[in-house]
Amino acid sequence: MKALRYLDNIGYGEGLFFCFFFGFVVRLIPEVLSFPYPVGFDTVYYAARIESGVVWYHWSSVFSSWLLYAMLVPVYNAVRFDPFLFLKLVAPALYALNLCGVYYFSREGLGWDVRKSLVAAFFFAFQLAFLRISWDLYRNMLGLAILLFALPLIQKVETKRG
């Protein structure tokens, strides 16, 4: 009960940091348990694309989902270590970013208090469907994070102009 009273004193930034840390740790558990092996089906494809260093391999790929590669290829070129180990750190970061998005959406979009927002993020962290998506669909995870942060920015939806 004392821990729940502590949640009332948490500020907005502390809640975001807690959600990021909690999501990173939750998603890091499967990565640590399967250490030498990649988690998910698409991870090998992502590792090959990142190691190749090519964001757009053809002009038609500009209209596809290139944003993840545009973010990961320069970071990988800067750090230059094993691409599978790199993806084992990127996957929990994307998962944690989505948890922060849930917290942000519940605070800004729904107007909930800190306690409700943290409980929503906590339940979202342990959803099996979301964990399954996070194992190999990194592009979808990035898109969902962008959506969760963009939804509260929608202001007027009652009128056609809004």
Side-chain angles (χ1 to χ4, degrees), residues 36-151:
Y37 307 107
V39 175
F41 298 111
D42 295 345
T43 310
V44 176
Y45 175 72
Y46 290 137
R49 280 286 300 266
I50 289 170
E51 197 170 37
S52 73
V54 177
V55 176
W56 295 299
Y57 55 89
H58 191 261
W59 69 269
S60 63
S61 68
V62 172
F63 303 109
S64 68
S65 54
W66 53 268
L67 185 60
L68 179 72
Y69 304 117
M71 293 169 59
L72 294 184
V73 166
V75 174
Y76 175 74
N77 286 336
V79 294
R80 275 310 222 199
F81 57 88
D82 184 31
F84 291 109
L85 185 61
F86 177 68
L87 287 173
K88 283 190 174 288
L89 296 175
V90 165
L94 286 173
Y95 191 79
L97 190 63
N98 276 284
L99 241 62
C100 288
V102 169
Y103 177 79
Y104 180 79
F105 175 73
S106 61
R107 290 281 292 154
E108 298 293 325
L110 300 177
W112 290 356
D113 61 345
V114 173
R115 183 185 293 185
K116 270 187 182 178
S117 301
L118 286 174
V119 168
F122 178 78
F123 282 121
F124 193 77
F126 292 109
Q127 277 189 346
L128 292 180
F130 187 60
L131 278 168
R132 166 61 188 96
I133 288 171
S134 75
W135 287 339
D136 60 351
L137 301 175
Y138 300 160
R139 293 180 297 182
N140 295 19
M141 295 290 292
L142 180 63
L144 183 61
I146 291 170
L147 176 70
L148 285 170
F149 280 106
L151 276 178

